[in-house]
Amino acid sequence: MSEITLGILGGGQLGSMLSVAAKKLNVKTVVYCENEDAPAQNFCDDFIHAKYNDKNKIYDFAKKVDVITYEFENIPFQTLNELNKLKSVLPKPSINRLVQHRLAEKDFINKLNIRTTRYVQVKGKEDLLPLADFLPGILKTTTMGYDGKGQHPIKNIEEINSLKIDFNKEYILEKLVKLKKEISVIITRFDNNKYEIYEPIENIHENQILRHSKITAEINEKIFDQSKEWAIMIANELKYIGTLCIEFFIDRNDNLYVNEIAPRVHNSGHLTITAFNVSQFENHIRAVCSLEKVAVKKLHDAEMINIIGDQIIQFRKNVKFNNNQFFFDYLKKDIKEKRKMGHLTTLK
Ligand code: ADP
Ligand code: MG
């Protein structure tokens, strides 16, 4: 029996699913979150509601746990760094700082000779005027973006003048890729240079939010192999410990691009809970708590749909699911438009 207590920063659905996976491995969990209604408090052993910059509460949290991880990347670097002086934070805070900054992230990926979208730093409106070559494109805040937040599509130069953008923030402009498909690869790296990797997952986004994921992805063998190879290169170069997700674009000429790196478990990997012998969540716990590595094996093909906003009402009322269907309600108190409220995985 393990007697490890894991601290998790962030209390959303990823924190919930990490807590459930930890329980299976007899790892205790303490979730720390700024949101009083954080859904993960329903699943963890202990819950601390406090601000990420509350030094006393952060210190109390560190005292309660053996090792610390986080369920989303937008935790202040200062907090991760302070905690890391008290207990080991995995993945390392420096990795999170690199990856949550879109410019640093893309520079890092390009240095590995891995293709990304074309991008350029933008500090003010006047920087945009000579950048017609990058249009149509998407202007993105360099930090704090998720589910399309902080993103502004720009079609042409004429549109620039009418843009209402807060240039107190930093941005990058990315050329729009003519997408054929999006895929993601999830990999868990352990501290002895070993890893477990899942096959590529095919993803459909609507309005920049993931709606649908499935395996087996309908992609050619070259993309299947190359996406996994690039994920392994990135995880190794970062000396990453834990579960990592690489999001990819495939253009109409079958070129593969890394879109972004998520230094955490990922929405597209929810189907690993029921479709594999070991889920991305369990693998993350195993890696950060230095538990045994188990070879991942696919049990079923599967597809997952995200349940967004008030779509959850029907699912909550209902409904008889087939025995190959698994419904997860994130137990979020308030239903909000565009908010991920649950998901449904169907095994094939
Ligand atoms: P987030 O951090 O919000 O996930 P992403 O950069 O992954 O931001 O963008 C969200 C989605 O928006 C992508 O999965 C894709 O569907 C679309 N998108 C973003 N950037 C581009 C781009 N350069 N070309 C085409 N589609 C894009
Ligand atoms: Mg993304």
Short mmCIF file of all heavy atoms in Angstrom, two decimals, residues 287-336:
data_model
loop_
_atom_site.label_atom_id
_atom_site.label_comp_id
_atom_site.label_asym_id
_atom_site.label_seq_id
_atom_site.Cartn_x
_atom_site.Cartn_y
_atom_site.Cartn_z
N ALA A 287 3.69 8.38 -12.54
CA ALA A 287 4.97 9.03 -12.86
C ALA A 287 5.39 10.03 -11.78
O ALA A 287 6.54 9.99 -11.32
CB ALA A 287 4.87 9.74 -14.22
N VAL A 288 4.47 10.88 -11.33
CA VAL A 288 4.89 11.93 -10.37
C VAL A 288 5.10 11.35 -8.97
O VAL A 288 5.83 11.93 -8.16
CB VAL A 288 3.94 13.16 -10.33
CG1 VAL A 288 3.83 13.81 -11.70
CG2 VAL A 288 2.57 12.84 -9.79
N CYS A 289 4.47 10.21 -8.68
CA CYS A 289 4.64 9.58 -7.36
C CYS A 289 5.69 8.47 -7.40
O CYS A 289 5.82 7.71 -6.43
CB CYS A 289 3.32 9.02 -6.85
SG CYS A 289 2.09 10.29 -6.53
N SER A 290 6.41 8.34 -8.50
CA SER A 290 7.44 7.30 -8.67
C SER A 290 6.90 5.90 -8.38
O SER A 290 7.55 5.10 -7.71
CB SER A 290 8.65 7.55 -7.75
OG SER A 290 9.15 8.84 -7.96
N LEU A 291 5.71 5.62 -8.89
CA LEU A 291 5.15 4.27 -8.77
C LEU A 291 5.55 3.46 -10.02
O LEU A 291 6.11 3.99 -10.97
CB LEU A 291 3.63 4.33 -8.63
CG LEU A 291 3.09 5.16 -7.46
CD1 LEU A 291 1.56 5.17 -7.46
CD2 LEU A 291 3.61 4.61 -6.13
N GLU A 292 5.17 2.22 -9.98
CA GLU A 292 5.55 1.30 -11.06
C GLU A 292 4.96 1.74 -12.41
O GLU A 292 3.83 2.22 -12.48
CB GLU A 292 5.00 -0.09 -10.69
CG GLU A 292 5.41 -1.19 -11.61
CD GLU A 292 4.51 -2.42 -11.44
OE1 GLU A 292 3.62 -2.40 -10.55
OE2 GLU A 292 4.70 -3.38 -12.19
N LYS A 293 5.73 1.57 -13.47
CA LYS A 293 5.24 1.86 -14.82
C LYS A 293 4.59 0.60 -15.39
O LYS A 293 5.16 -0.48 -15.30
CB LYS A 293 6.43 2.28 -15.69
CG LYS A 293 6.06 2.64 -17.11
CD LYS A 293 7.28 3.13 -17.88
CE LYS A 293 8.05 2.00 -18.50
NZ LYS A 293 7.36 1.27 -19.56
N VAL A 294 3.41 0.76 -15.94
CA VAL A 294 2.70 -0.39 -16.52
C VAL A 294 2.52 -0.12 -18.01
O VAL A 294 2.16 0.99 -18.40
CB VAL A 294 1.30 -0.54 -15.85
CG1 VAL A 294 0.50 -1.64 -16.51
CG2 VAL A 294 1.45 -0.80 -14.36
N ALA A 295 2.77 -1.11 -18.84
CA ALA A 295 2.66 -0.91 -20.30
C ALA A 295 1.21 -0.61 -20.68
O ALA A 295 0.30 -1.32 -20.25
CB ALA A 295 3.14 -2.17 -21.02
N VAL A 296 0.99 0.44 -21.46
CA VAL A 296 -0.39 0.76 -21.84
C VAL A 296 -0.84 -0.13 -22.99
O VAL A 296 -0.07 -0.45 -23.90
CB VAL A 296 -0.64 2.26 -22.21
CG1 VAL A 296 -0.25 3.17 -21.08
CG2 VAL A 296 -0.02 2.66 -23.50
N LYS A 297 -2.09 -0.49 -22.91
CA LYS A 297 -2.67 -1.37 -23.93
C LYS A 297 -4.07 -0.88 -24.25
O LYS A 297 -4.86 -0.61 -23.33
CB LYS A 297 -2.74 -2.79 -23.36
CG LYS A 297 -2.45 -3.87 -24.38
CD LYS A 297 -2.35 -5.24 -23.72
CE LYS A 297 -3.74 -5.79 -23.47
NZ LYS A 297 -3.81 -6.83 -22.47
N LYS A 298 -4.36 -0.75 -25.54
CA LYS A 298 -5.72 -0.34 -25.91
C LYS A 298 -6.67 -1.53 -25.76
O LYS A 298 -6.36 -2.62 -26.20
CB LYS A 298 -5.74 0.18 -27.34
CG LYS A 298 -7.12 0.64 -27.79
CD LYS A 298 -7.10 1.53 -29.01
CE LYS A 298 -6.87 0.78 -30.29
NZ LYS A 298 -7.14 1.62 -31.48
N LEU A 299 -7.81 -1.26 -25.13
CA LEU A 299 -8.81 -2.32 -24.96
C LEU A 299 -9.92 -2.20 -26.01
O LEU A 299 -10.50 -3.19 -26.42
CB LEU A 299 -9.42 -2.24 -23.56
CG LEU A 299 -8.43 -2.23 -22.39
CD1 LEU A 299 -9.14 -1.97 -21.07
CD2 LEU A 299 -7.64 -3.53 -22.33
N HIS A 300 -10.20 -0.94 -26.40
CA HIS A 300 -11.30 -0.69 -27.35
C HIS A 300 -10.98 0.55 -28.17
O HIS A 300 -10.31 1.45 -27.67
CB HIS A 300 -12.60 -0.34 -26.61
CG HIS A 300 -13.05 -1.36 -25.63
ND1 HIS A 300 -13.83 -2.43 -25.98
CD2 HIS A 300 -12.84 -1.47 -24.30
CE1 HIS A 300 -14.08 -3.16 -24.90
NE2 HIS A 300 -13.48 -2.60 -23.87
N ASP A 301 -11.52 0.63 -29.37
CA ASP A 301 -11.63 1.93 -30.02
C ASP A 301 -12.71 2.70 -29.27
O ASP A 301 -13.56 2.11 -28.60
CB ASP A 301 -12.01 1.77 -31.49
CG ASP A 301 -10.76 1.63 -32.36
OD1 ASP A 301 -9.66 2.01 -31.89
OD2 ASP A 301 -10.87 1.14 -33.49
N ALA A 302 -12.67 4.02 -29.41
CA ALA A 302 -13.63 4.80 -28.62
C ALA A 302 -13.84 6.17 -29.21
O ALA A 302 -13.01 6.65 -30.01
CB ALA A 302 -13.09 4.95 -27.18
N GLU A 303 -14.96 6.80 -28.84
CA GLU A 303 -15.09 8.22 -29.12
C GLU A 303 -15.68 8.94 -27.93
O GLU A 303 -16.40 8.34 -27.12
CB GLU A 303 -15.85 8.49 -30.41
CG GLU A 303 -17.28 8.13 -30.43
CD GLU A 303 -17.87 8.38 -31.83
OE1 GLU A 303 -17.25 8.02 -32.84
OE2 GLU A 303 -18.97 8.95 -31.87
N MET A 304 -15.29 10.19 -27.80
CA MET A 304 -15.74 11.00 -26.67
C MET A 304 -16.35 12.28 -27.17
O MET A 304 -15.80 12.89 -28.08
CB MET A 304 -14.53 11.34 -25.77
CG MET A 304 -14.93 12.13 -24.54
SD MET A 304 -13.92 13.58 -24.16
CE MET A 304 -13.90 14.56 -25.60
N ILE A 305 -17.49 12.66 -26.61
CA ILE A 305 -18.01 14.00 -26.90
C ILE A 305 -17.99 14.83 -25.62
O ILE A 305 -18.29 14.33 -24.54
CB ILE A 305 -19.43 14.00 -27.51
CG1 ILE A 305 -20.40 13.21 -26.63
CG2 ILE A 305 -19.43 13.46 -28.92
CD1 ILE A 305 -21.84 13.56 -26.90
N ASN A 306 -17.62 16.09 -25.78
CA ASN A 306 -17.72 17.02 -24.66
C ASN A 306 -19.15 17.52 -24.54
O ASN A 306 -19.81 17.80 -25.55
CB ASN A 306 -16.80 18.22 -24.89
CG ASN A 306 -15.42 18.01 -24.32
OD1 ASN A 306 -15.22 17.18 -23.43
ND2 ASN A 306 -14.46 18.75 -24.83
N ILE A 307 -19.60 17.65 -23.32
CA ILE A 307 -20.94 18.18 -23.07
C ILE A 307 -20.75 19.61 -22.58
O ILE A 307 -20.12 19.84 -21.54
CB ILE A 307 -21.68 17.31 -22.03
CG1 ILE A 307 -21.78 15.87 -22.58
CG2 ILE A 307 -23.03 17.89 -21.69
CD1 ILE A 307 -22.13 14.83 -21.54
N ILE A 308 -21.23 20.56 -23.38
CA ILE A 308 -20.89 21.96 -23.15
C ILE A 308 -22.13 22.77 -22.80
O ILE A 308 -23.20 22.58 -23.39
CB ILE A 308 -20.15 22.52 -24.40
CG1 ILE A 308 -18.82 21.76 -24.51
CG2 ILE A 308 -19.91 24.03 -24.28
CD1 ILE A 308 -17.98 22.10 -25.67
N GLY A 309 -21.96 23.65 -21.80
CA GLY A 309 -23.04 24.56 -21.41
C GLY A 309 -24.31 23.80 -21.03
O GLY A 309 -24.25 22.75 -20.37
N ASP A 310 -25.48 24.29 -21.54
CA ASP A 310 -26.73 23.71 -21.06
C ASP A 310 -27.07 22.35 -21.70
O ASP A 310 -28.10 21.75 -21.37
CB ASP A 310 -27.89 24.71 -21.18
CG ASP A 310 -28.08 25.19 -22.60
OD1 ASP A 310 -27.51 24.55 -23.51
OD2 ASP A 310 -28.79 26.20 -22.78
N GLN A 311 -26.17 21.84 -22.56
CA GLN A 311 -26.37 20.46 -23.04
C GLN A 311 -26.40 19.48 -21.86
O GLN A 311 -26.95 18.39 -21.96
CB GLN A 311 -25.20 20.04 -23.95
CG GLN A 311 -25.16 20.75 -25.28
CD GLN A 311 -23.90 20.38 -26.07
OE1 GLN A 311 -22.92 19.89 -25.52
NE2 GLN A 311 -23.95 20.62 -27.36
N ILE A 312 -25.82 19.87 -20.76
CA ILE A 312 -25.72 18.97 -19.60
C ILE A 312 -27.10 18.67 -19.01
O ILE A 312 -27.32 17.61 -18.41
CB ILE A 312 -24.78 19.56 -18.52
CG1 ILE A 312 -24.39 18.50 -17.46
CG2 ILE A 312 -25.39 20.76 -17.82
CD1 ILE A 312 -23.49 17.44 -17.92
N ILE A 313 -28.05 19.59 -19.20
CA ILE A 313 -29.36 19.43 -18.55
C ILE A 313 -30.01 18.11 -18.98
O ILE A 313 -30.46 17.32 -18.16
CB ILE A 313 -30.27 20.64 -18.87
CG1 ILE A 313 -29.63 21.90 -18.26
CG2 ILE A 313 -31.67 20.44 -18.32
CD1 ILE A 313 -30.27 23.20 -18.72
N GLN A 314 -30.00 17.89 -20.30
CA GLN A 314 -30.58 16.65 -20.84
C GLN A 314 -29.88 15.42 -20.29
O GLN A 314 -30.51 14.44 -19.91
CB GLN A 314 -30.45 16.65 -22.37
CG GLN A 314 -31.62 17.20 -23.11
CD GLN A 314 -32.95 16.71 -22.56
OE1 GLN A 314 -33.61 17.39 -21.78
NE2 GLN A 314 -33.35 15.49 -22.94
N PHE A 315 -28.54 15.50 -20.26
CA PHE A 315 -27.76 14.34 -19.79
C PHE A 315 -28.04 14.06 -18.32
O PHE A 315 -28.07 12.92 -17.89
CB PHE A 315 -26.26 14.59 -20.00
CG PHE A 315 -25.81 14.34 -21.41
CD1 PHE A 315 -25.87 15.34 -22.37
CD2 PHE A 315 -25.34 13.09 -21.79
CE1 PHE A 315 -25.46 15.11 -23.67
CE2 PHE A 315 -24.93 12.85 -23.09
CZ PHE A 315 -24.99 13.86 -24.03
N ARG A 316 -28.24 15.12 -17.55
CA ARG A 316 -28.49 14.93 -16.12
C ARG A 316 -29.87 14.33 -15.88
O ARG A 316 -30.07 13.57 -14.93
CB ARG A 316 -28.36 16.27 -15.37
CG ARG A 316 -26.92 16.62 -15.10
CD ARG A 316 -26.77 17.93 -14.35
NE ARG A 316 -25.37 18.22 -14.09
CZ ARG A 316 -24.91 19.42 -13.74
NH1 ARG A 316 -25.72 20.44 -13.61
NH2 ARG A 316 -23.61 19.58 -13.53
N LYS A 317 -30.83 14.69 -16.72
CA LYS A 317 -32.20 14.19 -16.55
C LYS A 317 -32.27 12.71 -16.78
O LYS A 317 -32.99 11.98 -16.15
CB LYS A 317 -33.09 14.86 -17.59
CG LYS A 317 -33.70 16.15 -17.11
CD LYS A 317 -34.77 16.57 -18.08
CE LYS A 317 -35.01 18.06 -17.96
NZ LYS A 317 -35.45 18.64 -19.21
N ASN A 318 -31.63 12.30 -17.66
CA ASN A 318 -31.80 11.11 -18.39
C ASN A 318 -31.31 9.92 -17.65
O ASN A 318 -30.95 9.95 -16.49
CB ASN A 318 -31.01 11.37 -19.68
CG ASN A 318 -31.04 10.26 -20.64
OD1 ASN A 318 -32.05 9.79 -21.03
ND2 ASN A 318 -29.89 9.88 -20.98
N VAL A 319 -31.14 9.38 -18.39
CA VAL A 319 -31.18 8.84 -19.74
C VAL A 319 -30.59 7.47 -19.59
O VAL A 319 -29.69 7.29 -18.79
CB VAL A 319 -30.29 9.60 -20.75
CG1 VAL A 319 -30.29 8.86 -22.11
CG2 VAL A 319 -30.62 11.04 -20.95
N LYS A 320 -31.10 6.58 -20.34
CA LYS A 320 -30.50 5.23 -20.27
C LYS A 320 -29.32 5.20 -21.21
O LYS A 320 -29.46 5.42 -22.40
CB LYS A 320 -31.54 4.19 -20.66
CG LYS A 320 -32.52 3.90 -19.55
CD LYS A 320 -33.01 2.44 -19.60
CE LYS A 320 -33.95 2.13 -18.46
NZ LYS A 320 -35.19 2.96 -18.48
N PHE A 321 -28.16 4.95 -20.66
CA PHE A 321 -26.99 4.80 -21.52
C PHE A 321 -26.82 3.33 -21.83
O PHE A 321 -27.21 2.46 -21.03
CB PHE A 321 -25.75 5.35 -20.82
CG PHE A 321 -25.83 6.82 -20.56
CD1 PHE A 321 -26.12 7.31 -19.28
CD2 PHE A 321 -25.65 7.72 -21.60
CE1 PHE A 321 -26.24 8.67 -19.05
CE2 PHE A 321 -25.77 9.09 -21.37
CZ PHE A 321 -26.06 9.55 -20.10
N ASN A 322 -26.22 3.07 -22.99
CA ASN A 322 -25.90 1.67 -23.31
C ASN A 322 -24.73 1.24 -22.44
O ASN A 322 -24.03 2.07 -21.88
CB ASN A 322 -25.52 1.56 -24.79
CG ASN A 322 -26.68 1.96 -25.68
OD1 ASN A 322 -27.84 1.76 -25.30
ND2 ASN A 322 -26.38 2.57 -26.81
N ASN A 323 -24.50 -0.07 -22.37
CA ASN A 323 -23.40 -0.46 -21.47
C ASN A 323 -22.01 -0.25 -22.06
O ASN A 323 -21.02 -0.50 -21.39
CB ASN A 323 -23.59 -1.88 -20.89
CG ASN A 323 -23.82 -2.87 -21.98
OD1 ASN A 323 -23.62 -2.55 -23.16
ND2 ASN A 323 -24.26 -4.06 -21.62
N ASN A 324 -21.94 0.26 -23.29
CA ASN A 324 -20.63 0.69 -23.82
C ASN A 324 -20.47 2.22 -23.71
O ASN A 324 -19.56 2.80 -24.28
CB ASN A 324 -20.48 0.25 -25.28
CG ASN A 324 -21.49 0.92 -26.20
OD1 ASN A 324 -22.56 1.34 -25.75
ND2 ASN A 324 -21.16 1.01 -27.47
N GLN A 325 -21.38 2.87 -22.97
CA GLN A 325 -21.32 4.34 -22.84
C GLN A 325 -21.05 4.75 -21.40
O GLN A 325 -21.63 4.17 -20.47
CB GLN A 325 -22.65 4.95 -23.30
CG GLN A 325 -22.86 4.82 -24.80
CD GLN A 325 -24.10 5.56 -25.24
OE1 GLN A 325 -25.17 5.36 -24.67
NE2 GLN A 325 -23.96 6.42 -26.24
N PHE A 326 -20.17 5.73 -21.25
CA PHE A 326 -19.78 6.18 -19.91
C PHE A 326 -19.94 7.69 -19.83
O PHE A 326 -19.26 8.44 -20.53
CB PHE A 326 -18.33 5.77 -19.63
CG PHE A 326 -18.16 4.27 -19.66
CD1 PHE A 326 -17.90 3.62 -20.86
CD2 PHE A 326 -18.29 3.52 -18.50
CE1 PHE A 326 -17.79 2.23 -20.91
CE2 PHE A 326 -18.18 2.14 -18.54
CZ PHE A 326 -17.93 1.50 -19.74
N PHE A 327 -20.85 8.11 -18.98
CA PHE A 327 -21.16 9.53 -18.82
C PHE A 327 -20.45 10.07 -17.57
O PHE A 327 -20.52 9.47 -16.51
CB PHE A 327 -22.67 9.70 -18.69
CG PHE A 327 -23.12 11.05 -18.22
CD1 PHE A 327 -22.70 12.22 -18.86
CD2 PHE A 327 -24.00 11.17 -17.14
CE1 PHE A 327 -23.12 13.47 -18.42
CE2 PHE A 327 -24.44 12.42 -16.70
CZ PHE A 327 -23.99 13.56 -17.34
N PHE A 328 -19.74 11.18 -17.73
CA PHE A 328 -19.07 11.82 -16.60
C PHE A 328 -19.65 13.22 -16.42
O PHE A 328 -19.60 14.04 -17.34
CB PHE A 328 -17.56 11.94 -16.86
CG PHE A 328 -16.86 10.60 -16.97
CD1 PHE A 328 -16.94 9.87 -18.14
CD2 PHE A 328 -16.15 10.09 -15.90
CE1 PHE A 328 -16.30 8.63 -18.26
CE2 PHE A 328 -15.52 8.85 -16.00
CZ PHE A 328 -15.59 8.12 -17.18
N ASP A 329 -20.22 13.45 -15.26
CA ASP A 329 -20.73 14.78 -14.93
C ASP A 329 -19.67 15.44 -14.05
O ASP A 329 -19.29 14.89 -13.02
CB ASP A 329 -22.06 14.62 -14.17
CG ASP A 329 -22.73 15.96 -13.92
OD1 ASP A 329 -22.04 17.00 -13.94
OD2 ASP A 329 -23.96 15.96 -13.70
N TYR A 330 -19.18 16.63 -14.45
CA TYR A 330 -18.11 17.28 -13.68
C TYR A 330 -18.64 17.92 -12.40
O TYR A 330 -17.87 18.47 -11.62
CB TYR A 330 -17.38 18.31 -14.54
CG TYR A 330 -16.77 17.72 -15.80
CD1 TYR A 330 -16.54 18.50 -16.94
CD2 TYR A 330 -16.41 16.37 -15.86
CE1 TYR A 330 -15.99 17.96 -18.09
CE2 TYR A 330 -15.86 15.82 -17.01
CZ TYR A 330 -15.66 16.62 -18.11
OH TYR A 330 -15.12 16.08 -19.25
N LEU A 331 -19.98 17.88 -12.21
CA LEU A 331 -20.60 18.42 -11.00
C LEU A 331 -20.27 19.90 -10.79
O LEU A 331 -20.01 20.34 -9.67
CB LEU A 331 -20.20 17.59 -9.76
CG LEU A 331 -20.42 16.08 -9.84
CD1 LEU A 331 -19.95 15.40 -8.56
CD2 LEU A 331 -21.89 15.75 -10.10
N LYS A 332 -20.24 20.64 -11.90
CA LYS A 332 -20.01 22.08 -11.78
C LYS A 332 -21.33 22.74 -11.37
O LYS A 332 -22.38 22.41 -11.89
CB LYS A 332 -19.51 22.67 -13.10
CG LYS A 332 -18.10 22.20 -13.41
CD LYS A 332 -17.54 22.82 -14.68
CE LYS A 332 -16.15 22.27 -14.92
NZ LYS A 332 -15.57 22.71 -16.21
N LYS A 333 -21.22 23.67 -10.45
CA LYS A 333 -22.42 24.26 -9.86
C LYS A 333 -23.18 25.10 -10.87
O LYS A 333 -24.38 24.95 -11.03
CB LYS A 333 -21.99 25.12 -8.66
CG LYS A 333 -22.95 25.00 -7.49
CD LYS A 333 -22.40 25.73 -6.29
CE LYS A 333 -23.40 26.76 -5.82
NZ LYS A 333 -22.79 27.73 -4.93
N ASP A 334 -22.45 25.99 -11.56
CA ASP A 334 -23.12 26.88 -12.49
C ASP A 334 -22.93 26.41 -13.92
O ASP A 334 -21.81 26.09 -14.32
CB ASP A 334 -22.56 28.31 -12.36
CG ASP A 334 -22.75 28.83 -10.95
OD1 ASP A 334 -23.82 28.56 -10.36
OD2 ASP A 334 -21.82 29.48 -10.43
N ILE A 335 -24.03 26.43 -14.64
CA ILE A 335 -23.95 26.12 -16.07
C ILE A 335 -23.65 27.41 -16.80
O ILE A 335 -24.35 28.41 -16.62
CB ILE A 335 -25.30 25.54 -16.56
CG1 ILE A 335 -25.59 24.22 -15.83
CG2 ILE A 335 -25.27 25.34 -18.07
CD1 ILE A 335 -26.93 23.60 -16.18
N LYS A 336 -22.56 27.42 -17.57
CA LYS A 336 -22.24 28.63 -18.34
C LYS A 336 -22.05 28.24 -19.79
O LYS A 336 -21.55 27.15 -20.09
CB LYS A 336 -20.95 29.26 -17.82
CG LYS A 336 -21.10 29.97 -16.51
CD LYS A 336 -19.86 30.80 -16.21
CE LYS A 336 -19.83 31.19 -14.74
NZ LYS A 336 -18.48 31.39 -14.25
#
